Amino acid sequence: MVYRGKPSTGCKNCRTRKIKCDEQCPACTQCTTTNRICPGYAHLFDLVLRDQTESVTRKAQQRKRRRDPADVRTTSTAAEGSVTAVVPGLTTGQRTFRTSSSHIASPTYSGYFLPLSLPKSFHDSPEEQAINGFFQNYVLIPRHHHSRRGYVDCLLLLYQSARHDSLLSLATTAMALAIEGGAPSRAHYRKLSQSFFGRALVKTGRAIRDPVESIKDETLMARVLATSESQNISGVHDTGAVALVKHRGKENGKSEISARLLQAVQTQVVDHCIQTASPFAKTSADLDSMRPDAFENAARRLTSLSARLSDLTAYAYPILKNMKQFPTKDQFMSILDYAGDVEAQLSTWPSTVPDDWHWKTSHTFDNLPSHESKLYVWNRRVDLYHDIWVASTWNSYRSSMLIIQYLKLQCLGMLNPPPLSALAYKIVTSINKVQELIDDICGSVPFNLGTKNFGGPTDRSEVQYPDDGIHKPSSDYRKSAAGLGGWFILEPLKTASKAIALCEGQKDWMLKQIERIQRIYLIKKSINDPTSAMPSPQCPGGRG
């Protein structure tokens, strides 16, 4: 299939008449003024991927017929794989130039032959490559229906009906370029992503002020994408998403797509509140009042249960980080009681997950050399999950439970209970729980990363992923693990690495995995770590 560059996005009538189309909706001005029926506009994918071989061949034949056969005569020799061009007019008489098959005879200028090299293949623009890879490697990969928490499932439906220069198209392109920019050969995509992201934010401001655009699903989808694309989620973004949901009203949230977008906003707000120790109770009533009756799955139940954790951290952290006044015993006990209630509710979640969500042990990496096994596997444990999203949901649960245990240990340590007391027993219980949760997180690292050490989000054939010994890892699993596995396991590892009293060498192993992920996806080390709001369990306020 021959590709001739960026196609015209005008309507078919204007392209046939070879005039400029202003692409107005629902009909362009050229068709309206001439009383023609405007046929509309083709999608950019349809234009880019159309087969133009016949058109190019026909035009080439027309140019050939217009040439004077006495001036240029070409003959091809299949056996030699070359093109012979006989060009008269030189002072020395006729000269024959034999070139490789990658050259064609160009027109003669002042009797001289100018060979023209053609590339072996034609490449789409970076935006088109990133969009194609984004949908094929992330959006369209099958996943367990209980791991769906929002917008990815309905992104393709909205994107197909959006114009190429629309707000949703810009936001999707920004996210696709940011993900594909994790590959070393495509690091420049991230600068391009920032450009599209800035354009999307400008259009978002205009759309929110428009009474018609502000209630469309495309606008809310673009807002959700913009929040997801930003690595450091800001309170302004989250507040804007909630405000947009409230502005849309419950009457505009009855469709399935609207319900999923609302759940995506709720998930983002909960994650943001946990990371920044902000209370979720202020926004929960607004979101719950807008949410229609929708299918509840395991991932959404976890989001609802985790909302109380954000309220716990918002209550506990100001007390524990108070530099001027040391907390009293009653304050420590109130935090312990609050943490116990949240833990009791959150502990009910594992019993509600489907049977195929439970992990299994793999022995795939048992044959690795000793030095490689220690690099990729902790304590010879490799766990297999249904898919990468199921593993991510489990690790979100473990991270939430770890934060609760950290708070409990910090309070219990400051109370300094006597040995063999009830509070001393709680310390031992929490320490054992922390070790168990972190072992589970470490056991999921090989499933998320395999033996990948570099290469960005692209799947590489030399990378080994664990299997059950019967079936080889599927291509969908390999693509999702290569593209998202590191991102999904990064925050759980950061949360786990803040623990103390771990097995010897385990913390150093987790820190090496974090460095490995940063190397794979070209993630810059930031001083402002998203989990820095969480105080260390060593002492109040994270000091020491």
Side-chain angles (χ1 to χ4, degrees), residues 77-98:
T77 306
E80 299 178 355
S82 61
V83 178
T84 303
V86 181
V87 183
L90 298 177
T91 56
T92 56
Q94 291 187 347
R95 296 185 61 183
T96 301
F97 295 85
R98 188 174 299 277

PDB file of all heavy atoms in Angstrom, residues 77-98:
ATOM      1  N   THR A  77      15.777  -4.540 -15.818  1.00  0.00           N
ATOM      2  CA  THR A  77      16.350  -5.873 -15.926  1.00  0.00           C
ATOM      3  C   THR A  77      16.085  -6.600 -14.628  1.00  0.00           C
ATOM      4  O   THR A  77      16.682  -6.295 -13.594  1.00  0.00           O
ATOM      5  CB  THR A  77      17.860  -5.788 -16.179  1.00  0.00           C
ATOM      6  OG1 THR A  77      18.071  -4.957 -17.314  1.00  0.00           O
ATOM      7  CG2 THR A  77      18.445  -7.177 -16.408  1.00  0.00           C
ATOM      8  N   ALA A  78      15.167  -7.560 -14.685  1.00  0.00           N
ATOM      9  CA  ALA A  78      14.770  -8.250 -13.464  1.00  0.00           C
ATOM     10  C   ALA A  78      15.895  -9.085 -12.911  1.00  0.00           C
ATOM     11  O   ALA A  78      16.066  -9.210 -11.706  1.00  0.00           O
ATOM     12  CB  ALA A  78      13.545  -9.132 -13.746  1.00  0.00           C
ATOM     13  N   ALA A  79      16.676  -9.676 -13.789  1.00  0.00           N
ATOM     14  CA  ALA A  79      17.739 -10.558 -13.310  1.00  0.00           C
ATOM     15  C   ALA A  79      18.778  -9.783 -12.527  1.00  0.00           C
ATOM     16  O   ALA A  79      19.315 -10.246 -11.530  1.00  0.00           O
ATOM     17  CB  ALA A  79      18.394 -11.281 -14.481  1.00  0.00           C
ATOM     18  N   GLU A  80      19.089  -8.560 -13.004  1.00  0.00           N
ATOM     19  CA  GLU A  80      20.092  -7.767 -12.327  1.00  0.00           C
ATOM     20  C   GLU A  80      19.510  -6.913 -11.210  1.00  0.00           C
ATOM     21  O   GLU A  80      20.234  -6.360 -10.401  1.00  0.00           O
ATOM     22  CB  GLU A  80      20.816  -6.863 -13.333  1.00  0.00           C
ATOM     23  CG  GLU A  80      21.542  -7.635 -14.412  1.00  0.00           C
ATOM     24  CD  GLU A  80      22.189  -6.696 -15.405  1.00  0.00           C
ATOM     25  OE1 GLU A  80      21.971  -5.471 -15.269  1.00  0.00           O
ATOM     26  OE2 GLU A  80      22.893  -7.162 -16.286  1.00  0.00           O
ATOM     27  N   GLY A  81      18.156  -6.777 -11.179  1.00  0.00           N
ATOM     28  CA  GLY A  81      17.530  -5.956 -10.156  1.00  0.00           C
ATOM     29  C   GLY A  81      17.915  -4.505 -10.273  1.00  0.00           C
ATOM     30  O   GLY A  81      18.150  -3.832  -9.279  1.00  0.00           O
ATOM     31  N   SER A  82      18.024  -3.978 -11.535  1.00  0.00           N
ATOM     32  CA  SER A  82      18.482  -2.606 -11.706  1.00  0.00           C
ATOM     33  C   SER A  82      17.626  -1.920 -12.740  1.00  0.00           C
ATOM     34  O   SER A  82      16.829  -2.533 -13.437  1.00  0.00           O
ATOM     35  CB  SER A  82      19.948  -2.583 -12.143  1.00  0.00           C
ATOM     36  OG  SER A  82      20.099  -3.245 -13.388  1.00  0.00           O
ATOM     37  N   VAL A  83      17.800  -0.602 -12.837  1.00  0.00           N
ATOM     38  CA  VAL A  83      17.106   0.219 -13.822  1.00  0.00           C
ATOM     39  C   VAL A  83      18.150   0.901 -14.687  1.00  0.00           C
ATOM     40  O   VAL A  83      19.073   1.530 -14.171  1.00  0.00           O
ATOM     41  CB  VAL A  83      16.211   1.271 -13.133  1.00  0.00           C
ATOM     42  CG1 VAL A  83      15.540   2.148 -14.172  1.00  0.00           C
ATOM     43  CG2 VAL A  83      15.156   0.584 -12.263  1.00  0.00           C
ATOM     44  N   THR A  84      18.013   0.767 -16.032  1.00  0.00           N
ATOM     45  CA  THR A  84      18.957   1.387 -16.955  1.00  0.00           C
ATOM     46  C   THR A  84      18.309   2.599 -17.588  1.00  0.00           C
ATOM     47  O   THR A  84      17.239   2.478 -18.193  1.00  0.00           O
ATOM     48  CB  THR A  84      19.372   0.397 -18.057  1.00  0.00           C
ATOM     49  OG1 THR A  84      19.932  -0.759 -17.439  1.00  0.00           O
ATOM     50  CG2 THR A  84      20.390   1.039 -18.977  1.00  0.00           C
ATOM     51  N   ALA A  85      18.901   3.768 -17.454  1.00  0.00           N
ATOM     52  CA  ALA A  85      18.365   4.996 -18.026  1.00  0.00           C
ATOM     53  C   ALA A  85      19.305   5.474 -19.122  1.00  0.00           C
ATOM     54  O   ALA A  85      20.501   5.663 -18.886  1.00  0.00           O
ATOM     55  CB  ALA A  85      18.236   6.072 -16.953  1.00  0.00           C
ATOM     56  N   VAL A  86      18.765   5.641 -20.349  1.00  0.00           N
ATOM     57  CA  VAL A  86      19.552   6.133 -21.480  1.00  0.00           C
ATOM     58  C   VAL A  86      19.165   7.581 -21.714  1.00  0.00           C
ATOM     59  O   VAL A  86      18.017   7.877 -22.041  1.00  0.00           O
ATOM     60  CB  VAL A  86      19.289   5.292 -22.745  1.00  0.00           C
ATOM     61  CG1 VAL A  86      20.133   5.816 -23.888  1.00  0.00           C
ATOM     62  CG2 VAL A  86      19.569   3.827 -22.468  1.00  0.00           C
ATOM     63  N   VAL A  87      20.105   8.495 -21.502  1.00  0.00           N
ATOM     64  CA  VAL A  87      19.812   9.917 -21.575  1.00  0.00           C
ATOM     65  C   VAL A  87      20.701  10.554 -22.634  1.00  0.00           C
ATOM     66  O   VAL A  87      21.913  10.615 -22.464  1.00  0.00           O
ATOM     67  CB  VAL A  87      20.056  10.608 -20.218  1.00  0.00           C
ATOM     68  CG1 VAL A  87      19.664  12.071 -20.290  1.00  0.00           C
ATOM     69  CG2 VAL A  87      19.278   9.880 -19.131  1.00  0.00           C
ATOM     70  N   PRO A  88      20.126  10.982 -23.787  1.00  0.00           N
ATOM     71  CA  PRO A  88      20.934  11.664 -24.800  1.00  0.00           C
ATOM     72  C   PRO A  88      21.091  13.135 -24.456  1.00  0.00           C
ATOM     73  O   PRO A  88      20.441  13.651 -23.565  1.00  0.00           O
ATOM     74  CB  PRO A  88      20.102  11.472 -26.063  1.00  0.00           C
ATOM     75  CG  PRO A  88      18.691  11.429 -25.562  1.00  0.00           C
ATOM     76  CD  PRO A  88      18.735  10.792 -24.217  1.00  0.00           C
ATOM     77  N   GLY A  89      21.887  13.803 -25.225  1.00  0.00           N
ATOM     78  CA  GLY A  89      22.003  15.244 -25.095  1.00  0.00           C
ATOM     79  C   GLY A  89      23.324  15.700 -24.529  1.00  0.00           C
ATOM     80  O   GLY A  89      23.604  16.887 -24.506  1.00  0.00           O
ATOM     81  N   LEU A  90      24.157  14.772 -24.007  1.00  0.00           N
ATOM     82  CA  LEU A  90      25.455  15.175 -23.486  1.00  0.00           C
ATOM     83  C   LEU A  90      26.428  15.359 -24.651  1.00  0.00           C
ATOM     84  O   LEU A  90      26.273  14.785 -25.717  1.00  0.00           O
ATOM     85  CB  LEU A  90      25.996  14.131 -22.511  1.00  0.00           C
ATOM     86  CG  LEU A  90      25.150  13.902 -21.248  1.00  0.00           C
ATOM     87  CD1 LEU A  90      25.771  12.798 -20.428  1.00  0.00           C
ATOM     88  CD2 LEU A  90      25.030  15.176 -20.438  1.00  0.00           C
ATOM     89  N   THR A  91      27.435  16.172 -24.476  1.00  0.00           N
ATOM     90  CA  THR A  91      28.388  16.452 -25.540  1.00  0.00           C
ATOM     91  C   THR A  91      29.163  15.217 -25.946  1.00  0.00           C
ATOM     92  O   THR A  91      29.649  15.129 -27.064  1.00  0.00           O
ATOM     93  CB  THR A  91      29.370  17.542 -25.085  1.00  0.00           C
ATOM     94  OG1 THR A  91      30.012  17.124 -23.877  1.00  0.00           O
ATOM     95  CG2 THR A  91      28.630  18.850 -24.825  1.00  0.00           C
ATOM     96  N   THR A  92      29.297  14.263 -25.045  1.00  0.00           N
ATOM     97  CA  THR A  92      30.048  13.058 -25.363  1.00  0.00           C
ATOM     98  C   THR A  92      29.178  11.996 -25.983  1.00  0.00           C
ATOM     99  O   THR A  92      29.623  10.869 -26.173  1.00  0.00           O
ATOM    100  CB  THR A  92      30.677  12.501 -24.092  1.00  0.00           C
ATOM    101  OG1 THR A  92      29.651  12.280 -23.115  1.00  0.00           O
ATOM    102  CG2 THR A  92      31.692  13.485 -23.520  1.00  0.00           C
ATOM    103  N   GLY A  93      27.927  12.341 -26.261  1.00  0.00           N
ATOM    104  CA  GLY A  93      27.013  11.353 -26.828  1.00  0.00           C
ATOM    105  C   GLY A  93      26.159  10.738 -25.749  1.00  0.00           C
ATOM    106  O   GLY A  93      26.020  11.264 -24.650  1.00  0.00           O
ATOM    107  N   GLN A  94      25.527   9.610 -26.074  1.00  0.00           N
ATOM    108  CA  GLN A  94      24.647   8.953 -25.124  1.00  0.00           C
ATOM    109  C   GLN A  94      25.466   8.281 -24.031  1.00  0.00           C
ATOM    110  O   GLN A  94      26.493   7.680 -24.266  1.00  0.00           O
ATOM    111  CB  GLN A  94      23.791   7.910 -25.837  1.00  0.00           C
ATOM    112  CG  GLN A  94      22.767   8.513 -26.775  1.00  0.00           C
ATOM    113  CD  GLN A  94      21.840   7.446 -27.311  1.00  0.00           C
ATOM    114  OE1 GLN A  94      22.104   6.269 -27.165  1.00  0.00           O
ATOM    115  NE2 GLN A  94      20.758   7.876 -27.924  1.00  0.00           N
ATOM    116  N   ARG A  95      24.928   8.428 -22.768  1.00  0.00           N
ATOM    117  CA  ARG A  95      25.572   7.769 -21.639  1.00  0.00           C
ATOM    118  C   ARG A  95      24.536   6.919 -20.923  1.00  0.00           C
ATOM    119  O   ARG A  95      23.380   7.315 -20.780  1.00  0.00           O
ATOM    120  CB  ARG A  95      26.152   8.798 -20.653  1.00  0.00           C
ATOM    121  CG  ARG A  95      27.261   9.625 -21.275  1.00  0.00           C
ATOM    122  CD  ARG A  95      27.892  10.535 -20.248  1.00  0.00           C
ATOM    123  NE  ARG A  95      28.476   9.743 -19.163  1.00  0.00           N
ATOM    124  CZ  ARG A  95      29.052  10.289 -18.088  1.00  0.00           C
ATOM    125  NH1 ARG A  95      29.112  11.606 -17.985  1.00  0.00           N
ATOM    126  NH2 ARG A  95      29.574   9.530 -17.156  1.00  0.00           N
ATOM    127  N   THR A  96      24.946   5.766 -20.523  1.00  0.00           N
ATOM    128  CA  THR A  96      24.051   4.841 -19.840  1.00  0.00           C
ATOM    129  C   THR A  96      24.442   4.776 -18.366  1.00  0.00           C
ATOM    130  O   THR A  96      25.601   4.529 -18.041  1.00  0.00           O
ATOM    131  CB  THR A  96      24.143   3.434 -20.447  1.00  0.00           C
ATOM    132  OG1 THR A  96      23.798   3.524 -21.812  1.00  0.00           O
ATOM    133  CG2 THR A  96      23.192   2.475 -19.739  1.00  0.00           C
ATOM    134  N   PHE A  97      23.453   5.034 -17.500  1.00  0.00           N
ATOM    135  CA  PHE A  97      23.672   4.987 -16.066  1.00  0.00           C
ATOM    136  C   PHE A  97      22.925   3.787 -15.509  1.00  0.00           C
ATOM    137  O   PHE A  97      21.718   3.652 -15.710  1.00  0.00           O
ATOM    138  CB  PHE A  97      23.160   6.276 -15.394  1.00  0.00           C
ATOM    139  CG  PHE A  97      23.922   7.498 -15.828  1.00  0.00           C
ATOM    140  CD1 PHE A  97      23.571   8.191 -16.989  1.00  0.00           C
ATOM    141  CD2 PHE A  97      24.999   7.953 -15.090  1.00  0.00           C
ATOM    142  CE1 PHE A  97      24.271   9.308 -17.376  1.00  0.00           C
ATOM    143  CE2 PHE A  97      25.697   9.076 -15.477  1.00  0.00           C
ATOM    144  CZ  PHE A  97      25.327   9.758 -16.614  1.00  0.00           C
ATOM    145  N   ARG A  98      23.610   2.921 -14.815  1.00  0.00           N
ATOM    146  CA  ARG A  98      22.987   1.757 -14.197  1.00  0.00           C
ATOM    147  C   ARG A  98      22.953   1.976 -12.690  1.00  0.00           C
ATOM    148  O   ARG A  98      23.980   2.181 -12.066  1.00  0.00           O
ATOM    149  CB  ARG A  98      23.769   0.487 -14.540  1.00  0.00           C
ATOM    150  CG  ARG A  98      23.072  -0.790 -14.084  1.00  0.00           C
ATOM    151  CD  ARG A  98      23.845  -1.984 -14.594  1.00  0.00           C
ATOM    152  NE  ARG A  98      23.894  -2.000 -16.032  1.00  0.00           N
ATOM    153  CZ  ARG A  98      22.926  -2.488 -16.794  1.00  0.00           C
ATOM    154  NH1 ARG A  98      21.839  -2.980 -16.244  1.00  0.00           N
ATOM    155  NH2 ARG A  98      23.038  -2.478 -18.094  1.00  0.00           N
TER     156      ARG A  98
END
